Amino acid sequence: MQETYAIGELARRTGCQVVTIRYYEQVGLLPEPARTAGGHRAYTPAHLRRLDFIKRGRSLGFPLAAISGLLDLLEDRDATCSDIDALAEQHLHEVRAKIADLRAIEARLETSLATCRHETRAECAVAEALVSAG
């Protein structure tokens, strides 16, 4: 007989919250588990591995849609490594764009702080940058 876990045990083993596990089931990332005679979810080691994969993908910043695509590719025997690489390259492009945006924000904040005379509110360069931003 295969080992099974209650949702609380799966949450403990993976570090996911119960509500997150239920959400992943709801959106189709995690297959719905069988139920015990008492109606409780009975997760398997396959659920545990899949949830670990989802968590690793999230830790790398992949959005849930991309993780879903990766999971589909992993289950498709005809998928190629280049199919998986394409999703990773797209994500890398998005990460680099976010980094560029953050660097621009950093530069604006540094400039505002460097020009601020720390006197009155009317002379505050940071406040002025926030008021005139847009």
Side-chain angles (χ1 to χ4, degrees):
M1 185 167 162
Q2 184 173 347
E3 179 180 17
T4 61
Y5 316 103
I7 195 166
E9 177 64 13
L10 185 67
R12 187 188 67 72
R13 286 178 179 248
T14 61
C16 282
Q17 294 187 16
V18 168
V19 67
T20 303
I21 295 169
R22 287 186 179 139
Y23 176 74
Y24 290 162
E25 283 179 41
Q26 186 180 36
V27 298
L29 282 175
L30 196 62
E32 191 173 319
R35 299 278 181 156
T36 66
H40 297 283
R41 292 170 170 93
Y43 295 94
T44 65
H47 287 101
L48 179 72
R49 287 188 301 275
R50 190 173 179 105
L51 192 52
D52 280 339
F53 179 89
I54 294 167
K55 277 196 66 189
R56 281 191 300 276
R58 295 297 289 151
S59 74
L60 292 172
F62 280 96
L64 293 180
I67 291 171
S68 178
L70 287 167
L71 286 166
D72 289 345
L73 288 171
L74 291 174
E75 292 173 354
D76 180 356
R77 295 229 180 258
D78 295 327
T80 65
C81 182
S82 62
D83 294 331
I84 296 168
D85 289 352
L87 277 176
E89 285 176 14
Q90 175 61 36
H91 181 57
L92 180 58
H93 173 75
E94 293 165 2
V95 166
R96 286 179 174 153
K98 287 178 186 176
I99 290 170
D101 289 345
L102 289 170
R103 286 190 176 133
I105 292 168
E106 177 186 38
R108 286 194 303 261
L109 286 170
E110 283 179 341
T111 299
S112 295
L113 285 167
T115 59
C116 190
R117 286 176 259 149
H118 309 292
E119 307 238 349
T120 67
R121 168 15 209 127
E123 298 171 323
C124 181
V126 174
E128 184 56 35
L130 292 169
V131 169
S132 64

